Structure formats: C-alpha cells, structure tokens
PDB file of all heavy atoms in Angstrom:
ATOM      1  N   GLY A  76      32.045  27.555   1.557  1.00 53.00           N
ATOM      2  CA  GLY A  76      30.531  27.604   1.429  1.00 53.00           C
ATOM      3  C   GLY A  76      29.982  26.273   1.731  1.00 53.00           C
ATOM      4  O   GLY A  76      30.662  25.299   2.144  1.00 53.00           O
ATOM      5  N   GLY A  77      28.728  26.095   1.419  1.00 59.00           N
ATOM      6  CA  GLY A  77      28.013  24.847   1.801  1.00 59.00           C
ATOM      7  C   GLY A  77      28.108  23.792   0.723  1.00 59.00           C
ATOM      8  O   GLY A  77      28.760  24.026  -0.334  1.00 59.00           O
ATOM      9  N   ILE A  78      27.628  22.619   0.999  1.00 73.00           N
ATOM     10  CA  ILE A  78      27.593  21.422   0.117  1.00 73.00           C
ATOM     11  C   ILE A  78      26.130  21.028  -0.080  1.00 73.00           C
ATOM     12  O   ILE A  78      25.292  21.301   0.770  1.00 73.00           O
ATOM     13  CB  ILE A  78      28.470  20.401   0.583  1.00 73.00           C
ATOM     14  CG1 ILE A  78      28.022  19.911   2.022  1.00 73.00           C
ATOM     15  CG2 ILE A  78      29.913  20.806   0.765  1.00 73.00           C
ATOM     16  CD1 ILE A  78      28.702  18.686   2.517  1.00 73.00           C
ATOM     17  N   VAL A  79      25.907  20.278  -1.201  1.00 79.00           N
ATOM     18  CA  VAL A  79      24.623  19.745  -1.475  1.00 79.00           C
ATOM     19  C   VAL A  79      24.776  18.177  -1.555  1.00 79.00           C
ATOM     20  O   VAL A  79      25.544  17.749  -2.284  1.00 79.00           O
ATOM     21  CB  VAL A  79      24.053  20.314  -2.750  1.00 79.00           C
ATOM     22  CG1 VAL A  79      22.667  19.634  -3.065  1.00 79.00           C
ATOM     23  CG2 VAL A  79      23.758  21.844  -2.494  1.00 79.00           C
ATOM     24  N   SER A  80      24.043  17.444  -0.842  1.00 86.00           N
ATOM     25  CA  SER A  80      24.168  16.023  -0.815  1.00 86.00           C
ATOM     26  C   SER A  80      22.907  15.413  -1.585  1.00 86.00           C
ATOM     27  O   SER A  80      21.837  15.959  -1.535  1.00 86.00           O
ATOM     28  CB  SER A  80      24.143  15.459   0.611  1.00 86.00           C
ATOM     29  OG  SER A  80      25.312  15.989   1.278  1.00 86.00           O
ATOM     30  N   ARG A  81      23.122  14.306  -2.237  1.00 91.00           N
ATOM     31  CA  ARG A  81      22.042  13.585  -2.854  1.00 91.00           C
ATOM     32  C   ARG A  81      21.677  12.372  -1.998  1.00 91.00           C
ATOM     33  O   ARG A  81      22.536  11.546  -1.583  1.00 91.00           O
ATOM     34  CB  ARG A  81      22.466  13.065  -4.301  1.00 91.00           C
ATOM     35  CG  ARG A  81      21.476  12.232  -4.994  1.00 91.00           C
ATOM     36  CD  ARG A  81      21.914  11.732  -6.399  1.00 91.00           C
ATOM     37  NE  ARG A  81      21.029  10.991  -7.167  1.00 91.00           N
ATOM     38  CZ  ARG A  81      20.836   9.722  -7.148  1.00 91.00           C
ATOM     39  NH1 ARG A  81      21.743   8.932  -6.473  1.00 91.00           N
ATOM     40  NH2 ARG A  81      19.938   9.062  -7.846  1.00 91.00           N
ATOM     41  N   ILE A  82      20.357  12.247  -1.768  1.00 93.00           N
ATOM     42  CA  ILE A  82      19.878  11.122  -0.932  1.00 93.00           C
ATOM     43  C   ILE A  82      18.772  10.411  -1.673  1.00 93.00           C
ATOM     44  O   ILE A  82      17.931  11.006  -2.266  1.00 93.00           O
ATOM     45  CB  ILE A  82      19.348  11.689   0.520  1.00 93.00           C
ATOM     46  CG1 ILE A  82      20.573  12.359   1.249  1.00 93.00           C
ATOM     47  CG2 ILE A  82      18.718  10.597   1.284  1.00 93.00           C
ATOM     48  CD1 ILE A  82      20.145  13.026   2.431  1.00 93.00           C
ATOM     49  N   VAL A  83      18.769   9.055  -1.642  1.00 95.00           N
ATOM     50  CA  VAL A  83      17.754   8.272  -2.236  1.00 95.00           C
ATOM     51  C   VAL A  83      17.083   7.395  -1.170  1.00 95.00           C
ATOM     52  O   VAL A  83      17.767   6.699  -0.361  1.00 95.00           O
ATOM     53  CB  VAL A  83      18.327   7.342  -3.315  1.00 95.00           C
ATOM     54  CG1 VAL A  83      17.268   6.452  -3.865  1.00 95.00           C
ATOM     55  CG2 VAL A  83      18.979   8.164  -4.433  1.00 95.00           C
ATOM     56  N   LEU A  84      15.769   7.510  -1.103  1.00 96.00           N
ATOM     57  CA  LEU A  84      15.030   6.768  -0.047  1.00 96.00           C
ATOM     58  C   LEU A  84      13.926   5.929  -0.746  1.00 96.00           C
ATOM     59  O   LEU A  84      13.632   6.085  -1.903  1.00 96.00           O
ATOM     60  CB  LEU A  84      14.303   7.775   0.961  1.00 96.00           C
ATOM     61  CG  LEU A  84      15.248   8.655   1.725  1.00 96.00           C
ATOM     62  CD1 LEU A  84      14.405   9.613   2.602  1.00 96.00           C
ATOM     63  CD2 LEU A  84      16.234   7.916   2.539  1.00 96.00           C
ATOM     64  N   LYS A  85      13.473   4.941  -0.081  1.00 96.00           N
ATOM     65  CA  LYS A  85      12.352   4.059  -0.512  1.00 96.00           C
ATOM     66  C   LYS A  85      11.236   3.982   0.564  1.00 96.00           C
ATOM     67  O   LYS A  85      11.561   3.872   1.712  1.00 96.00           O
ATOM     68  CB  LYS A  85      12.882   2.643  -0.753  1.00 96.00           C
ATOM     69  CG  LYS A  85      11.781   1.658  -1.285  1.00 96.00           C
ATOM     70  CD  LYS A  85      12.352   0.221  -1.434  1.00 96.00           C
ATOM     71  CE  LYS A  85      11.158  -0.709  -1.862  1.00 96.00           C
ATOM     72  NZ  LYS A  85      11.665  -2.125  -2.012  1.00 96.00           N
ATOM     73  N   GLY A  86       9.958   4.060   0.032  1.00 95.00           N
ATOM     74  CA  GLY A  86       8.889   3.993   0.881  1.00 95.00           C
ATOM     75  C   GLY A  86       7.920   2.990   0.358  1.00 95.00           C
ATOM     76  O   GLY A  86       8.046   2.736  -0.964  1.00 95.00           O
ATOM     77  N   LYS A  87       7.080   2.360   1.123  1.00 95.00           N
ATOM     78  CA  LYS A  87       6.186   1.365   0.666  1.00 95.00           C
ATOM     79  C   LYS A  87       4.814   1.498   1.279  1.00 95.00           C
ATOM     80  O   LYS A  87       4.743   1.845   2.489  1.00 95.00           O
ATOM     81  CB  LYS A  87       6.810  -0.016   0.921  1.00 95.00           C
ATOM     82  CG  LYS A  87       6.041  -1.206   0.237  1.00 95.00           C
ATOM     83  CD  LYS A  87       6.833  -2.490   0.447  1.00 95.00           C
ATOM     84  CE  LYS A  87       6.066  -3.690  -0.176  1.00 95.00           C
ATOM     85  NZ  LYS A  87       6.791  -4.940  -0.035  1.00 95.00           N
ATOM     86  N   GLY A  88       3.761   1.231   0.540  1.00 94.00           N
ATOM     87  CA  GLY A  88       2.428   1.264   1.109  1.00 94.00           C
ATOM     88  C   GLY A  88       1.429   0.557   0.196  1.00 94.00           C
ATOM     89  O   GLY A  88       1.755   0.193  -0.922  1.00 94.00           O
ATOM     90  N   SER A  89       0.197   0.574   0.629  1.00 94.00           N
ATOM     91  CA  SER A  89      -0.876  -0.021  -0.139  1.00 94.00           C
ATOM     92  C   SER A  89      -1.360   0.846  -1.319  1.00 94.00           C
ATOM     93  O   SER A  89      -1.957   0.325  -2.194  1.00 94.00           O
ATOM     94  CB  SER A  89      -2.085  -0.416   0.828  1.00 94.00           C
ATOM     95  OG  SER A  89      -2.549   0.842   1.268  1.00 94.00           O
ATOM     96  N   SER A  90      -0.893   2.042  -1.274  1.00 92.00           N
ATOM     97  CA  SER A  90      -1.245   2.996  -2.324  1.00 92.00           C
ATOM     98  C   SER A  90      -0.100   3.970  -2.475  1.00 92.00           C
ATOM     99  O   SER A  90       0.850   4.062  -1.609  1.00 92.00           O
ATOM    100  CB  SER A  90      -2.570   3.751  -2.002  1.00 92.00           C
ATOM    101  OG  SER A  90      -2.459   4.532  -0.920  1.00 92.00           O
ATOM    102  N   SER A  91      -0.128   4.819  -3.536  1.00 91.00           N
ATOM    103  CA  SER A  91       0.917   5.858  -3.653  1.00 91.00           C
ATOM    104  C   SER A  91       0.924   6.802  -2.540  1.00 91.00           C
ATOM    105  O   SER A  91       1.937   7.172  -1.972  1.00 91.00           O
ATOM    106  CB  SER A  91       0.705   6.550  -5.069  1.00 91.00           C
ATOM    107  OG  SER A  91       0.949   5.683  -6.137  1.00 91.00           O
ATOM    108  N   ASN A  92      -0.321   7.133  -2.213  1.00 90.00           N
ATOM    109  CA  ASN A  92      -0.473   8.134  -1.060  1.00 90.00           C
ATOM    110  C   ASN A  92       0.205   7.618   0.248  1.00 90.00           C
ATOM    111  O   ASN A  92       0.908   8.361   0.863  1.00 90.00           O
ATOM    112  CB  ASN A  92      -1.998   8.338  -0.847  1.00 90.00           C
ATOM    113  CG  ASN A  92      -2.242   9.456   0.140  1.00 90.00           C
ATOM    114  OD1 ASN A  92      -1.271  10.233   0.557  1.00 90.00           O
ATOM    115  ND2 ASN A  92      -3.478   9.667   0.586  1.00 90.00           N
ATOM    116  N   GLU A  93      -0.054   6.326   0.510  1.00 93.00           N
ATOM    117  CA  GLU A  93       0.591   5.757   1.746  1.00 93.00           C
ATOM    118  C   GLU A  93       2.058   5.608   1.583  1.00 93.00           C
ATOM    119  O   GLU A  93       2.785   5.777   2.591  1.00 93.00           O
ATOM    120  CB  GLU A  93      -0.067   4.395   1.987  1.00 93.00           C
ATOM    121  CG  GLU A  93       0.312   3.805   3.278  1.00 93.00           C
ATOM    122  CD  GLU A  93      -0.505   2.487   3.611  1.00 93.00           C
ATOM    123  OE1 GLU A  93      -1.638   2.505   3.380  1.00 93.00           O
ATOM    124  OE2 GLU A  93       0.178   1.454   3.979  1.00 93.00           O
ATOM    125  N   ALA A  94       2.504   5.257   0.360  1.00 94.00           N
ATOM    126  CA  ALA A  94       3.944   5.213   0.163  1.00 94.00           C
ATOM    127  C   ALA A  94       4.729   6.541   0.328  1.00 94.00           C
ATOM    128  O   ALA A  94       5.735   6.656   0.991  1.00 94.00           O
ATOM    129  CB  ALA A  94       4.306   4.701  -1.240  1.00 94.00           C
ATOM    130  N   PHE A  95       4.062   7.641  -0.116  1.00 92.00           N
ATOM    131  CA  PHE A  95       4.589   8.996   0.131  1.00 92.00           C
ATOM    132  C   PHE A  95       4.630   9.270   1.598  1.00 92.00           C
ATOM    133  O   PHE A  95       5.487   9.954   2.109  1.00 92.00           O
ATOM    134  CB  PHE A  95       3.779  10.011  -0.688  1.00 92.00           C
ATOM    135  CG  PHE A  95       4.212  10.339  -2.064  1.00 92.00           C
ATOM    136  CD1 PHE A  95       3.803   9.492  -3.105  1.00 92.00           C
ATOM    137  CD2 PHE A  95       5.181  11.234  -2.311  1.00 92.00           C
ATOM    138  CE1 PHE A  95       4.288   9.730  -4.443  1.00 92.00           C
ATOM    139  CE2 PHE A  95       5.689  11.503  -3.629  1.00 92.00           C
ATOM    140  CZ  PHE A  95       5.204  10.758  -4.676  1.00 92.00           C
ATOM    141  N   THR A  96       3.541   8.824   2.256  1.00 92.00           N
ATOM    142  CA  THR A  96       3.485   9.185   3.741  1.00 92.00           C
ATOM    143  C   THR A  96       4.539   8.325   4.485  1.00 92.00           C
ATOM    144  O   THR A  96       5.236   8.897   5.410  1.00 92.00           O
ATOM    145  CB  THR A  96       2.136   8.836   4.207  1.00 92.00           C
ATOM    146  OG1 THR A  96       1.121   9.557   3.608  1.00 92.00           O
ATOM    147  CG2 THR A  96       2.028   9.085   5.768  1.00 92.00           C
ATOM    148  N   ASN A  97       4.695   7.056   4.156  1.00 94.00           N
ATOM    149  CA  ASN A  97       5.628   6.186   4.892  1.00 94.00           C
ATOM    150  C   ASN A  97       7.080   6.544   4.666  1.00 94.00           C
ATOM    151  O   ASN A  97       7.953   6.293   5.495  1.00 94.00           O
ATOM    152  CB  ASN A  97       5.396   4.684   4.481  1.00 94.00           C
ATOM    153  CG  ASN A  97       3.964   4.239   5.059  1.00 94.00           C
ATOM    154  OD1 ASN A  97       3.417   4.858   5.885  1.00 94.00           O
ATOM    155  ND2 ASN A  97       3.503   3.180   4.435  1.00 94.00           N
ATOM    156  N   ILE A  98       7.427   7.076   3.479  1.00 94.00           N
ATOM    157  CA  ILE A  98       8.881   7.357   3.124  1.00 94.00           C
ATOM    158  C   ILE A  98       9.378   8.444   4.107  1.00 94.00           C
ATOM    159  O   ILE A  98      10.551   8.577   4.379  1.00 94.00           O
ATOM    160  CB  ILE A  98       9.021   7.799   1.666  1.00 94.00           C
ATOM    161  CG1 ILE A  98      10.526   7.543   1.290  1.00 94.00           C
ATOM    162  CG2 ILE A  98       8.614   9.305   1.459  1.00 94.00           C
ATOM    163  CD1 ILE A  98      10.663   7.705  -0.228  1.00 94.00           C
ATOM    164  N   GLN A  99       8.430   9.324   4.733  1.00 91.00           N
ATOM    165  CA  GLN A  99       8.834  10.330   5.608  1.00 91.00           C
ATOM    166  C   GLN A  99       9.576   9.741   6.860  1.00 91.00           C
ATOM    167  O   GLN A  99      10.478  10.262   7.406  1.00 91.00           O
ATOM    168  CB  GLN A  99       7.699  11.126   6.112  1.00 91.00           C
ATOM    169  CG  GLN A  99       8.016  12.241   7.013  1.00 91.00           C
ATOM    170  CD  GLN A  99       8.933  13.315   6.497  1.00 91.00           C
ATOM    171  OE1 GLN A  99       8.441  14.041   5.599  1.00 91.00           O
ATOM    172  NE2 GLN A  99      10.124  13.354   6.970  1.00 91.00           N
ATOM    173  N   GLY A 100       9.221   8.407   7.153  1.00 90.00           N
ATOM    174  CA  GLY A 100       9.802   7.830   8.309  1.00 90.00           C
ATOM    175  C   GLY A 100      11.273   7.445   8.114  1.00 90.00           C
ATOM    176  O   GLY A 100      12.041   7.200   9.122  1.00 90.00           O
ATOM    177  N   SER A 101      11.763   7.488   6.930  1.00 88.00           N
ATOM    178  CA  SER A 101      13.189   7.136   6.573  1.00 88.00           C
ATOM    179  C   SER A 101      13.976   8.520   6.524  1.00 88.00           C
ATOM    180  O   SER A 101      15.235   8.297   6.391  1.00 88.00           O
ATOM    181  CB  SER A 101      13.280   6.481   5.244  1.00 88.00           C
ATOM    182  OG  SER A 101      12.460   5.312   5.241  1.00 88.00           O
ATOM    183  N   ALA A 102      13.373   9.600   6.555  1.00 88.00           N
ATOM    184  CA  ALA A 102      14.031  10.902   6.378  1.00 88.00           C
ATOM    185  C   ALA A 102      14.327  11.464   7.692  1.00 88.00           C
ATOM    186  O   ALA A 102      13.630  11.364   8.696  1.00 88.00           O
ATOM    187  CB  ALA A 102      13.285  11.812   5.553  1.00 88.00           C
ATOM    188  N   THR A 103      15.506  12.123   7.809  1.00 86.00           N
ATOM    189  CA  THR A 103      15.883  12.826   9.013  1.00 86.00           C
ATOM    190  C   THR A 103      15.134  14.045   9.243  1.00 86.00           C
ATOM    191  O   THR A 103      14.657  14.390  10.485  1.00 86.00           O
ATOM    192  CB  THR A 103      17.392  13.184   9.018  1.00 86.00           C
ATOM    193  OG1 THR A 103      18.149  12.068   8.680  1.00 86.00           O
ATOM    194  CG2 THR A 103      17.910  13.749  10.288  1.00 86.00           C
ATOM    195  N   TYR A 104      14.821  14.709   8.172  1.00 86.00           N
ATOM    196  CA  TYR A 104      14.076  16.090   8.210  1.00 86.00           C
ATOM    197  C   TYR A 104      12.786  15.966   7.391  1.00 86.00           C
ATOM    198  O   TYR A 104      12.547  15.053   6.643  1.00 86.00           O
ATOM    199  CB  TYR A 104      15.033  17.106   7.698  1.00 86.00           C
ATOM    200  CG  TYR A 104      16.293  17.288   8.420  1.00 86.00           C
ATOM    201  CD1 TYR A 104      17.515  17.099   7.756  1.00 86.00           C
ATOM    202  CD2 TYR A 104      16.320  17.544   9.769  1.00 86.00           C
ATOM    203  CE1 TYR A 104      18.753  17.201   8.421  1.00 86.00           C
ATOM    204  CE2 TYR A 104      17.631  17.676  10.465  1.00 86.00           C
ATOM    205  CZ  TYR A 104      18.815  17.481   9.710  1.00 86.00           C
ATOM    206  OH  TYR A 104      19.967  17.574  10.406  1.00 86.00           O
ATOM    207  N   PRO A 105      12.021  16.964   7.457  1.00 89.00           N
ATOM    208  CA  PRO A 105      10.780  17.001   6.644  1.00 89.00           C
ATOM    209  C   PRO A 105      11.034  17.040   5.197  1.00 89.00           C
ATOM    210  O   PRO A 105      12.097  17.571   4.747  1.00 89.00           O
ATOM    211  CB  PRO A 105      10.047  18.335   7.109  1.00 89.00           C
ATOM    212  CG  PRO A 105      10.596  18.583   8.424  1.00 89.00           C
ATOM    213  CD  PRO A 105      11.963  18.060   8.424  1.00 89.00           C
ATOM    214  N   ILE A 106      10.140  16.423   4.394  1.00 90.00           N
ATOM    215  CA  ILE A 106      10.366  16.377   2.957  1.00 90.00           C
ATOM    216  C   ILE A 106       9.475  17.354   2.332  1.00 90.00           C
ATOM    217  O   ILE A 106       8.288  17.427   2.593  1.00 90.00           O
ATOM    218  CB  ILE A 106      10.063  14.877   2.465  1.00 90.00           C
ATOM    219  CG1 ILE A 106      11.067  13.931   3.069  1.00 90.00           C
ATOM    220  CG2 ILE A 106      10.073  14.878   0.932  1.00 90.00           C
ATOM    221  CD1 ILE A 106      10.702  12.532   2.695  1.00 90.00           C
ATOM    222  N   LYS A 107      10.007  18.116   1.361  1.00 89.00           N
ATOM    223  CA  LYS A 107       9.268  19.061   0.561  1.00 89.00           C
ATOM    224  C   LYS A 107       9.184  18.614  -0.911  1.00 89.00           C
ATOM    225  O   LYS A 107      10.180  18.249  -1.504  1.00 89.00           O
ATOM    226  CB  LYS A 107       9.860  20.475   0.685  1.00 89.00           C
ATOM    227  CG  LYS A 107       9.880  21.048   2.011  1.00 89.00           C
ATOM    228  CD  LYS A 107       8.545  21.251   2.573  1.00 89.00           C
ATOM    229  CE  LYS A 107       8.595  21.918   3.987  1.00 89.00           C
ATOM    230  NZ  LYS A 107       7.318  22.172   4.562  1.00 89.00           N
ATOM    231  N   TYR A 108       8.023  18.594  -1.462  1.00 89.00           N
ATOM    232  CA  TYR A 108       7.800  18.133  -2.924  1.00 89.00           C
ATOM    233  C   TYR A 108       7.557  19.320  -3.915  1.00 89.00           C
ATOM    234  O   TYR A 108       7.265  19.068  -5.011  1.00 89.00           O
ATOM    235  CB  TYR A 108       6.661  17.131  -2.952  1.00 89.00           C
ATOM    236  CG  TYR A 108       7.047  15.806  -2.305  1.00 89.00           C
ATOM    237  CD1 TYR A 108       6.620  15.565  -0.941  1.00 89.00           C
ATOM    238  CD2 TYR A 108       7.788  14.828  -2.910  1.00 89.00           C
ATOM    239  CE1 TYR A 108       6.924  14.423  -0.223  1.00 89.00           C
ATOM    240  CE2 TYR A 108       8.128  13.689  -2.262  1.00 89.00           C
ATOM    241  CZ  TYR A 108       7.702  13.440  -0.927  1.00 89.00           C
ATOM    242  OH  TYR A 108       8.010  12.277  -0.319  1.00 89.00           O
ATOM    243  N   ASP A 109       7.691  20.509  -3.358  1.00 86.00           N
ATOM    244  CA  ASP A 109       7.417  21.721  -4.209  1.00 86.00           C
ATOM    245  C   ASP A 109       8.361  21.762  -5.415  1.00 86.00           C
ATOM    246  O   ASP A 109       8.012  22.336  -6.505  1.00 86.00           O
ATOM    247  CB  ASP A 109       7.599  22.947  -3.478  1.00 86.00           C
ATOM    248  CG  ASP A 109       6.767  22.911  -2.079  1.00 86.00           C
ATOM    249  OD1 ASP A 109       7.191  22.152  -1.242  1.00 86.00           O
ATOM    250  OD2 ASP A 109       5.847  23.658  -1.953  1.00 86.00           O
ATOM    251  N   LEU A 110       9.572  21.292  -5.363  1.00 87.00           N
ATOM    252  CA  LEU A 110      10.626  21.350  -6.431  1.00 87.00           C
ATOM    253  C   LEU A 110      10.667  20.047  -7.334  1.00 87.00           C
ATOM    254  O   LEU A 110      11.608  19.883  -8.031  1.00 87.00           O
ATOM    255  CB  LEU A 110      11.936  21.652  -5.795  1.00 87.00           C
ATOM    256  CG  LEU A 110      12.023  22.993  -5.068  1.00 87.00           C
ATOM    257  CD1 LEU A 110      13.432  23.166  -4.521  1.00 87.00           C
ATOM    258  CD2 LEU A 110      11.580  24.129  -5.829  1.00 87.00           C
ATOM    259  N   THR A 111       9.668  19.110  -7.133  1.00 92.00           N
ATOM    260  CA  THR A 111       9.714  17.903  -7.929  1.00 92.00           C
ATOM    261  C   THR A 111       9.728  18.180  -9.396  1.00 92.00           C
ATOM    262  O   THR A 111       8.923  18.897  -9.912  1.00 92.00           O
ATOM    263  CB  THR A 111       8.567  16.956  -7.592  1.00 92.00           C
ATOM    264  OG1 THR A 111       8.600  16.739  -6.145  1.00 92.00           O
ATOM    265  CG2 THR A 111       8.622  15.728  -8.316  1.00 92.00           C
ATOM    266  N   ARG A 112      10.758  17.607 -10.125  1.00 93.00           N
ATOM    267  CA  ARG A 112      10.855  17.873 -11.565  1.00 93.00           C
ATOM    268  C   ARG A 112      10.076  16.775 -12.398  1.00 93.00           C
ATOM    269  O   ARG A 112       9.521  17.194 -13.403  1.00 93.00           O
ATOM    270  CB  ARG A 112      12.358  17.712 -11.963  1.00 93.00           C
ATOM    271  CG  ARG A 112      13.063  19.012 -12.129  1.00 93.00           C
ATOM    272  CD  ARG A 112      13.256  19.742 -10.884  1.00 93.00           C
ATOM    273  NE  ARG A 112      14.188  20.873 -11.108  1.00 93.00           N
ATOM    274  CZ  ARG A 112      14.669  21.667 -10.179  1.00 93.00           C
ATOM    275  NH1 ARG A 112      14.348  21.566  -8.967  1.00 93.00           N
ATOM    276  NH2 ARG A 112      15.492  22.709 -10.450  1.00 93.00           N
ATOM    277  N   ALA A 113       9.945  15.558 -11.915  1.00 96.00           N
ATOM    278  CA  ALA A 113       9.398  14.435 -12.725  1.00 96.00           C
ATOM    279  C   ALA A 113       8.926  13.375 -11.853  1.00 96.00           C
ATOM    280  O   ALA A 113       9.550  13.182 -10.735  1.00 96.00           O
ATOM    281  CB  ALA A 113      10.404  13.949 -13.767  1.00 96.00           C
ATOM    282  N   ILE A 114       7.957  12.632 -12.343  1.00 96.00           N
ATOM    283  CA  ILE A 114       7.532  11.323 -11.657  1.00 96.00           C
ATOM    284  C   ILE A 114       7.320  10.353 -12.682  1.00 96.00           C
ATOM    285  O   ILE A 114       6.840  10.562 -13.754  1.00 96.00           O
ATOM    286  CB  ILE A 114       6.081  11.567 -10.942  1.00 96.00           C
ATOM    287  CG1 ILE A 114       6.232  12.488  -9.767  1.00 96.00           C
ATOM    288  CG2 ILE A 114       5.552  10.249 -10.626  1.00 96.00           C
ATOM    289  CD1 ILE A 114       5.022  12.640  -8.956  1.00 96.00           C
ATOM    290  N   GLY A 115       8.022   9.163 -12.391  1.00 97.00           N
ATOM    291  CA  GLY A 115       8.022   8.056 -13.378  1.00 97.00           C
ATOM    292  C   GLY A 115       7.261   6.871 -12.827  1.00 97.00           C
ATOM    293  O   GLY A 115       7.104   6.716 -11.544  1.00 97.00           O
TER     294      GLY A 115
END
C-alpha cells in the first residue's frame, strides 16, 4: 500500500496572510488547510 510523508516548510511575509501565500512557493503541490489541527 501507500506511504505518508511528513514535510515541514517555512514561509515569510510582511503579514500572516502573505506568509501563508508565500509558503506555497516552497511546495511541490497545492496546499490544503482544511485539516489543520492547531495554530501556535
């Protein structure tokens, strides 16, 4: 069967909104936040 990999990325911006937008540039595929468990 398949495998699940853990990936950690970093984004930076003048605001949280911009940081969330910029981090997409480090990802190979689109990012989905529907399953986010926590924000610190």
